[in-house]
Amino acid sequence: MPLLRDVFIALSENKVMNEASKKMGLKFGANKVVGGITVDETIERIKDINSQGMSVSFDNLGEFVTNKTDATKEKDLILKMIQAIGEEGVDASASVKLSQIGLNIDYDFCLDNVREIMDAAKANDMFVNIDMENHAAYDDTIRIVDQLMEEYDNIGTVLQSYLYSAKDDVYKYKDNRIRFVKGAYKESPQVALQSKEDIDKALELLIRLHLTKGEGFTSIATHDHNIIENMIDFIKENDIPNDRFEFQMLFGFRKELQRELVERGYNVCVYIPFGTDWYAYFMRRLAERPQNINLVVKSLSKDHTFKTASAAAGAVAIGFAALKIFKRK
Ligand SMILES: Cc1cc2nc3c(=O)[nH]c(=O)nc-3n(C[C@H](O)[C@H](O)[C@H](O)COP(=O)(O)OP(=O)(O)OC[C@H]3O[C@@H](n4cnc5c(N)ncnc54)[C@H](O)[C@@H]3O)c2cc1C
């Protein structure tokens, strides 16, 4: 359903909705996929996930920040979360999007911000993953990751299987801690595979290479049970020990599969986004899997606080997308 994906991606980029949603609290079912608005709420979520035998990687929601004041505020919130995690002694690492802390404003300013985060994480014995964003940010992100890998041992990044460049990168990062994903953004055929089948195949190949060609730690980040089972078969055939890999899934998605993997003895890490800037993230999840619109429908039927103009605008926007789904079924 490429059209539907495009609709939700367009909605995710809607500036009016993005701004309005920051004042709304978690609406439209977003509370099912976002860990909390505040640090304290999110810490409680992390404790709950830890109690189920899973680790966490937190993500401060919000990206494409365009001024230094906002970027500094976001960096400070990440530092606050790192400190809270250290104080509470919960099992969590950090996932950081560089566009949130200045990548699109000033390269050196961004580098200084990540260094501050890396230092705080190091002091709390915490791993930091630099998330991979759209292809426009790829070169600068890799430059920063490479620079920081020389300075710190608690850093890793993400390879997106839809990018043609991922095959070279998997050898380059064979000894590092790397998260493997399909890729969440709309990219051109000049830089990225377009068919789901090719992207799936590429993901499996990259993971197999990373598990066998070096000494790195492999995070297999997908909700795709077929890929997960294929990887488990490969892991068994190649006697890969459990401390060399983990499965990662997003908070709120495929909870039963997460639990089942824990019961089967595998390490599972749940990626928990938090903060006020939930709207674009939520729309991207709908873009990936339009069936997630169920979350919206369920929440609207329960939600009596549907009074503000901005909330109504949101409903119209999401309703428009929903209509497209039903038309195409
Ligand atoms: C922990 C984590 C971190 C990520 N970090 C990044 C990042 O830094 N950069 C980036 O570009 N992308 C990132 N992504 C997003 C990723 O690139 C994909 O866009 C996203 O994970 C969707 O692809 P998928 O592999 O999960 O499965 P999909 O291709 O969405 O689904 C494959 C199949 O799995 C099944 N399935 C999927 N979801 C469900 C569900 N909820 N319930 C039931 N069945 C389901 C269905 O059968 C579906 O056909 C991340 C994803 C995860 C899980």
Side-chain angles (χ1 to χ4, degrees):
M1 274 190 281
L3 176 62
L4 193 56
R5 183 173 188 262
D6 293 350
V7 168
F8 282 118
I9 289 196
L11 283 171
S12 77
E13 289 162 2
N14 183 307
K15 287 203 173 78
V16 176
M17 277 308 296
N18 262 305
E19 282 313 306
S21 63
K22 287 182 196 167
K23 297 176 191 107
M24 271 187 224
L26 296 173
K27 292 279 173 195
F28 314 127
N31 62 328
K32 301 277 189 245
V33 299
V34 173
I37 293 279
T38 65
V39 167
D40 288 349
E41 278 169 12
T42 311
I43 289 285
E44 291 311 306
R45 283 279 195 218
I46 296 174
K47 285 182 185 168
D48 181 42
I49 304 281
N50 284 171
S51 74
Q52 298 169 48
M54 295 179 272
S55 62
V56 163
S57 189
F58 79 82
D59 161 53
N60 176 19
L61 284 166
E63 48 215 91
F64 307 119
V65 171
T66 52
N67 65 74
K68 285 190 178 177
T69 309
D70 287 349
T72 304
K73 248 193 246 162
E74 299 299 349
K75 179 225 28 183
D76 288 344
L77 186 56
I78 295 170
L79 294 176
K80 192 174 166 193
M81 181 60 99
I82 291 173
Q83 196 185 342
I85 287 169
E87 282 166 9
E88 295 285 337
V90 290
D91 182 2
S93 61
S95 285
V96 175
K97 287 194 168 54
L98 296 184
S99 72
Q100 186 182 52
I101 52 170
L103 191 68
N104 301 333
I105 305 167
D106 175 342
Y107 181 89
D108 290 328
F109 166 75
C110 179
L111 188 55
D112 287 346
N113 282 339
V114 208
R115 281 208 181 98
E116 227 183 296
I117 290 168
M118 292 307 306
D119 288 336
K122 184 93 186 144
N124 285 283
D125 200 16
M126 187 189 293
F127 171 74
V128 178
N129 182 80
I130 305 298
D131 283 4
M132 197 55 80
E133 304 180 65
N134 59 358
H135 189 255
Y138 172 86
D139 285 343
D140 281 346
T141 304
I142 290 289
R143 223 174 115 201
I144 287 186
V145 165
D146 290 351
Q147 169 78 44
L148 294 179
M149 277 180 173
E150 285 179 16
E151 299 170 28
Y152 299 90
D153 58 6
N154 57 329
I155 185 169
T157 192
V158 178
L159 294 187
Q160 297 153 314
S161 74
Y162 62 18
L163 290 189
Y164 304 132
S165 55
K167 274 198 196 133
D168 290 335
D169 287 344
V170 76
Y171 286 99
K172 177 175 167 191
Y173 296 118
K174 68 184 174 33
D175 297 324
N176 297 102
R177 181 166 170 169
I178 298 294
R179 174 195 301 156
F180 289 88
V181 300
K182 292 181 186 176
Y185 302 84
K186 188 169 168 53
E187 302 295 359
S188 76
Q190 276 74 43
V191 297
L193 297 165
Q194 302 292 310
S195 91
K196 179 176 159 32
E197 206 190 341
D198 290 345
I199 296 168
D200 288 2
K201 257 197 237 155
L203 181 62
E204 291 198 11
L205 175 64
L206 294 174
I207 295 169
R208 285 199 299 265
L209 289 171
H210 199 254
L211 285 168
T212 49
K213 296 291 175 208
E215 299 294 314
F217 182 85
T218 310
S219 295
I220 303 168
T222 180
H223 307 105
D224 193 323
H225 46 275
N226 292 321
I227 293 181
I228 289 172
E229 290 307 326
N230 290 344
M231 292 304 98
I232 289 176
D233 288 347
F234 181 81
I235 281 159
K236 284 182 181 161
E237 280 159 21
N238 290 276
D239 286 328
I240 313 276
N242 269 8
D243 62 1
R244 285 277 323 283
F245 69 95
E246 68 180 2
F247 293 100
Q248 288 192 353
M249 287 185 226
L250 303 179
F251 172 67
F253 294 99
R254 308 219 74 175
K255 283 192 241 172
E256 275 170 33
L257 182 55
Q258 294 175 15
R259 267 194 294 269
E260 187 203 309
L261 289 167
V262 172
E263 278 162 18
R264 289 164 73 183
Y266 297 112
N267 293 317
V268 176
C269 173
V270 179
Y271 182 102
I272 299 193
F274 83 101
T276 53
D277 213 346
W278 53 270
Y279 173 80
Y281 172 83
F282 188 46
M283 287 301 126
R284 276 209 302 277
R285 301 294 77 83
L286 294 176
E288 273 158 16
R289 190 170 159 79
Q291 290 94 321
N292 291 337
I293 196 86
N294 280 338
L295 294 170
V296 181
V297 174
K298 270 190 209 154
S299 88
L300 290 188
S301 62
K302 285 188 210 142
D303 193 349
H304 302 298
T305 60
F306 211 63
K307 289 173 190 147
T308 63
S310 48
V316 171
I318 293 170
F320 166 70
L323 201 66
K324 294 257 178 194
I325 303 173
F326 295 124
K327 266 192 182 165
R328 291 181 67 82
K329 273 195 169 171

